[in-house]
Every structure is written in structure tokens, then in C-alpha cells.
Amino acid sequence: MAKQMVRNTALTTLLKIEQDEAYSNLLINGAVEKNHFDSKDTALFTRLVYGTVQRKNTLDFYLDGFLKKEPELWVRVLLRLAVYQMAYLDRIPDRAVLHESVEIAKRRGHKGIAGLVNGVLRAIQRKGLRDPAAIKDQVEKLAVETSHPEWLLGRWLSQYDQETVRKICEANNTLPEVSIRTNTVKTTRDQLLNDLKSEDIEVENGSLSPEALKITKGAVQHTSSFKNGLFSIQDESSMLAAYALDVNEGMNILDGCAAPGGKTTHIAQLLNNTGNITALDLHKYKIKLIEEQASRLGLANITARALDSRMAPEEFQRASFDRILVDAPCSGFGVIRRKPDIKWGKSAEDIEMLAAVQGEILQALAPLLKPGGKLVYSTCTIEREENEEVVASFLRQHSEFSMDPTLGNRLPERLQNHMDTLEGQVQILPHQFGTDGFYIAVLRKEEVG
């Protein structure tokens, strides 16, 4: 009965993602809390939802060979959920998948729908899954094999070679690692590692950041170490933005797009709780998230304000900040592994719109930087239109700014060995280090005289 509840809840969640374009990670967290799932049921539920969303294109390809006409949306989603288990989860026997799926169809529909579900799944079980190898169009074939939209693959193939694109797509379909950032104001990484092990969390050192730990088993957010503010949950590539900023104690820093506060609090740590960080975000309710993080971590050098960063010149004096971080709103195509619904919900028009907003934010905040100061522009996407092209456009219009060639000196050696950071920018791809895809550029403002 418990597994039936998990599958039924997974179906409800998948329908909300499909119909309401709701965020999968938020829905999953809410459903786990509401249904009081234990650790095993939580793991299964999460895998069912993420996996079915990740493999949507491929699952529809498998199904379309067995459907004579298009069923209702909830039936299509139920069949996707079932075929995902049959194709990708070896530990669940097909008979269990068939039985539970037919029972859900009976409860939500009627005998006819239950018969359809039973017939389709038994036909797949008997005949096997269709092979996409016969697809002649190479982009379409890659889209089915890796379950990504064709329009997006077309863009990536114009930016990266085919082997790299395939590796990106395959990485996007893996389970994301959980990494945490040590709060160095309160503890050390080695001490935190030992503290977490004493709380039955399996943990190891991170791959990139010197403050990072990777969680291999356990719910780290429920530990006393988390409650006591000894760490933050943050992807390792995201941690690099604060290092790129090149901060020194006592600095006055502006974080233009700060919520939920991961990079803001990291900067506060690197300042050793000195100086001041003004953290802006467009939404009032997100300001509370920043303040809650700062309080839990024991950081007193953060001032959070609800303000569209494009309006910042009306609120702050010119040349008043030593450093500025623009972690810009973006398409998020670097975090598809964590939010697989992103690849189905975005369009080329979204990218164009976001690039325009990103440019507007840079234009607005640039005058607030002191001469000799540094501005870091970062995103969690791999789209050049939102990354290199935004920076290049900005530099063409602002001769007082140039790329900072010292960026590589502040990045981990492992990253330096794999990337060309000499030009003051770096693009991390999802398959390279097991981290999120992330872009960082550092722009230096020329000193007067």
C-alpha cells in the first residue's frame, strides 16, 4: 500500500509539473513533507518524479509505438511513469509496475482506461521497447536518445561539438550530488566532516572548492550541524563566484541578484564577518530567505533589501562599492540535473529576453563600482547568448572595463588545469566535474588617472 501511495503521489506531482509548469524540486519537497514519507519512500518518490521528467522525450517515443490514439493527459503521464520504471529501474519487477498502474487507472478513471493501460504495458513487456537507432535525422535521434528538446540541442550543437553536447545531455540525466559549504566563521572543513560523521552522515571532501564537502548518504539538512549554522547547502561550481570576486576584509560589496543568499553568505564568510554586503532581490519574500540564512550562519555583515537591481542607481551613490556581484537571472540550463523540468519549460524567446535583462542589470550597476574595483558576472547556464555574448556586448559599450586576467589565480588548481581562465572568464559544463554548469566572468574597472 505504501508503494501504491508513492506512485499515486508521483503521478499527481508529475501532472502539476505538466499542467501548471510548477517547479519539480519544490513540489517534491512539499509532497514528502505532506505525506510523511520515510527515507526509502522519499528516495523512490524522488527518483520516480525526476526520472520521468528527465526521460520524457524517450518515454513518449517508446509509448507512441503502442498507442493508436492520444489518451487523456493523466493517462499519458501514468504510462510514462510506468514505462520509466520498466525501462530504468531494475529493482522493480514489471509485474509490480503493471499491477500498481492498472489499480491507479481504475481509481482515477474507469475500466476502459484500466484496460488501455494494461494492454499498452503488456504489449511493451511482450514486444520490447522501440530502438531510436533507426531515426535518420541526427538531431532528432539525439533528442530521443538523451531526452532533450530538439530546438535546444540545435542551439548547443552550434556552440559545442557533438561529443560535448552528448556528454552534457547524459550528465543532465544523472542524479545530482549534494554538496555543502563549510561556514568558516564557525568551523573548519575537517571538523565539520567529523561532526557530520558523528551524526551518521556519509561525507567526503569536495572536488573543486576548498570549503566543500560531498554528502554520499544521509539527510544533511536535518542535522544539528545544519541547525547550528556550520554549513550551507550549495553546489561547488556556484561557490567559485565568491572566490572570483577577490574580496578583502572591510570591503563594501553589492550583491545585485542575491536570493536565496548562498553566494551572499559565502562572501560574508570570506570577509570574516567584516565590511558590509548589500544584498538586493526583486521579490520581498526572498529577502526573508537571505536574512534567515545570515541569522542561522551567524553573519552580521549583510543588509538585505527588496529592490530591482536595475533601479539601484536611484538608491546608491556612484562609485560606492569595492566589488559587485551580478549572479544574473538566467535560463538555468546548467542545473537541468537538479531541475529537469527546465528543459521542457523554456524557449529560444526566453533566452533572448533573459539576455536583454542581464545586459540591463550590468548597465545599471556598473556606475556603482569604484575605479579599480571588480565586477563578477555569473550565471548557472551554458548558453553563450547569456554568457560570453552578454559580457562582450557590455565591454563594447564600456571602455573603462576590461577582463581580469588574474581570475585563474583565485580558482582551484584542478579547474585551472582544465580551463582557459586567462581571459577572465570560465565556463564549467555539467559533465566535467559532477557539478552544475556555471559561467563566471570578472570585469575590472580602470582606475582614474
Side-chain angles (χ1 to χ4, degrees):
M1 183 62 74
K3 295 296 181 285
Q4 191 177 99
M5 183 180 179
V6 169
R7 289 186 174 92
N8 195 54
T9 305
L11 175 58
T12 299
T13 304
L14 288 165
L15 282 168
K16 287 180 180 177
I17 294 169
E18 190 82 15
Q19 294 172 317
D20 305 333
E21 296 185 359
Y23 292 118
S24 54
N25 58 323
L26 298 179
L27 288 176
I28 287 171
N29 293 338
V32 168
E33 190 174 331
K34 179 181 177 181
N35 292 284
H36 306 290
F37 288 150
D38 62 22
S39 59
K40 287 186 178 180
D41 286 343
T42 296
L44 175 60
F45 170 70
T46 303
R47 186 75 182 272
L48 291 179
V49 175
Y50 275 147
T52 304
V53 176
Q54 281 176 338
R55 301 288 182 174
K56 177 181 170 182
N57 250 19
T58 311
L59 297 171
D60 281 345
F61 173 79
Y62 292 151
L63 283 168
D64 288 342
F66 296 90
L67 289 169
K68 294 180 181 178
K69 62 178 182 178
E70 183 60 32
E72 293 180 58
L73 178 61
W74 74 268
V75 179
R76 162 76 74 170
V77 175
L78 174 60
L79 287 168
R80 283 181 193 153
L81 179 61
V83 175
Y84 171 73
Q85 295 170 80
M86 294 169 70
Y88 296 102
L89 301 185
D90 296 336
R91 294 185 179 182
I92 301 178
D94 287 356
R95 64 178 183 277
V97 176
L98 265 72
H99 174 74
E100 296 289 357
S101 301
V102 171
E103 288 301 308
I104 290 172
K106 285 179 182 176
R107 288 198 308 275
R108 292 202 178 211
H110 49 72
K111 280 187 176 181
I113 292 177
L116 169 68
V117 169
N118 183 63
V120 168
L121 296 182
R122 288 195 179 280
I124 290 174
Q125 188 182 34
R126 186 173 62 254
K127 296 181 181 180
L129 298 169
R130 299 169 71 198
D131 186 353
I135 299 174
K136 293 182 179 179
D137 183 273
Q138 291 303 301
V139 177
E140 181 186 355
K141 181 170 177 275
L142 185 62
V144 172
E145 288 175 339
T146 67
S147 209
H148 282 68
E150 287 184 47
W151 74 267
L152 186 57
L153 291 181
R155 288 183 66 92
W156 289 351
L157 288 166
S158 71
Q159 300 172 54
Y160 305 100
D161 62 75
Q162 188 167 355
E163 182 183 359
T164 297
V165 172
R166 181 175 285 278
K167 286 179 178 178
I168 290 170
C169 293
E170 289 172 350
N172 288 343
N173 288 331
T174 61
L175 292 174
E177 293 182 332
V178 176
S179 59
I180 62 174
R181 188 192 77 240
T182 307
N183 181 4
T184 51
V185 172
K186 290 189 172 185
T187 189
T188 65
R189 181 169 74 168
D190 290 344
Q191 183 60 54
L192 177 59
L193 186 146
N194 291 329
D195 289 344
L196 290 173
K197 285 183 176 179
S198 71
E199 295 192 70
D200 297 323
I201 301 295
E202 294 184 13
V203 60
E204 60 188 36
N205 286 336
S207 303
L208 288 178
S209 171
E211 298 166 359
L213 292 170
K214 287 193 288 189
I215 308 303
T216 56
K217 188 176 181 181
V220 72
Q221 68 273 26
H222 297 144
T223 61
S224 60
S225 295
F226 179 79
K227 293 174 185 174
N228 294 332
L230 301 186
F231 66 86
S232 296
I233 299 172
Q234 185 182 10
D235 185 76
E236 285 196 67
S237 58
S238 173
M239 297 179 200
L240 301 178
Y243 289 111
L245 207 54
D246 192 20
V247 302
N248 295 308
E249 290 189 13
M251 280 185 170
N252 187 30
I253 296 175
L254 177 65
D255 187 348
C257 312
K263 298 175 189 67
T264 310
T265 53
H266 192 191
I267 296 166
Q269 289 175 207
L270 295 180
L271 288 172
N272 198 24
N273 228 350
T274 68
N276 182 68
I277 306 165
T278 301
L280 307 181
D281 197 86
L282 183 61
H283 304 286
K284 285 184 178 180
Y285 74 94
K286 290 186 177 180
I287 295 302
K288 186 178 179 182
L289 299 176
I290 300 171
E291 293 172 339
E292 287 174 350
Q293 273 220 64
S295 176
R296 182 179 63 81
L297 296 168
L299 300 169
N301 56 345
I302 297 171
T303 304
R305 291 185 54 181
L307 180 70
D308 185 333
S309 57
R310 291 170 291 186
M311 299 295 106
E314 299 177 12
E315 300 290 329
F316 304 100
Q317 290 185 344
R318 294 175 66 91
S320 56
F321 293 98
D322 299 292
R323 299 285 188 269
I324 294 177
L325 172 62
V326 178
D327 186 50
C330 69
S331 59
F333 289 140
V335 296
I336 288 175
R337 180 164 31 203
R338 299 184 190 281
K339 301 174 182 178
D341 41 297
I342 284 176
K343 63 185 174 183
W344 308 120
K346 300 287 185 182
S347 67
E349 290 74 23
D350 291 323
I351 296 170
E352 185 178 348
M353 179 272 292
L354 285 162
V357 171
Q358 292 153 0
E360 290 170 4
I361 294 172
L362 280 176
Q363 295 281 5
L365 297 186
L368 304 183
L369 185 66
K370 293 178 181 179
K374 293 177 181 178
L375 184 154
V376 167
Y377 174 79
S378 64
T379 73
C380 59
T381 191
I382 61 173
E383 275 288 327
R384 288 181 179 165
E385 186 175 344
E386 299 179 71
N387 295 338
E388 292 96 329
E389 291 179 22
V390 168
V391 171
S393 176
F394 173 81
L395 290 175
R396 284 194 295 271
Q397 300 171 62
H398 291 269
S399 59
E400 73 276 22
F401 279 88
S402 60
M403 301 295 277
D404 177 16
T406 68
L407 168 62
N409 300 336
R410 300 188 292 279
L411 297 180
E413 186 176 348
R414 185 183 179 203
L415 184 59
Q416 293 178 40
N417 293 338
H418 284 77
M419 304 287 177
D420 179 10
T421 59
L422 297 177
E423 296 302 319
Q425 60 186 333
V426 60
Q427 174 72 72
I428 300 171
L429 299 176
H431 66 281
Q432 291 172 318
F433 304 103
T435 65
D436 291 342
F438 205 79
Y439 173 79
I440 299 171
V442 185
L443 310 177
R444 186 179 182 277
K445 193 173 187 178
E446 299 302 320
E447 296 190 50
V448 178

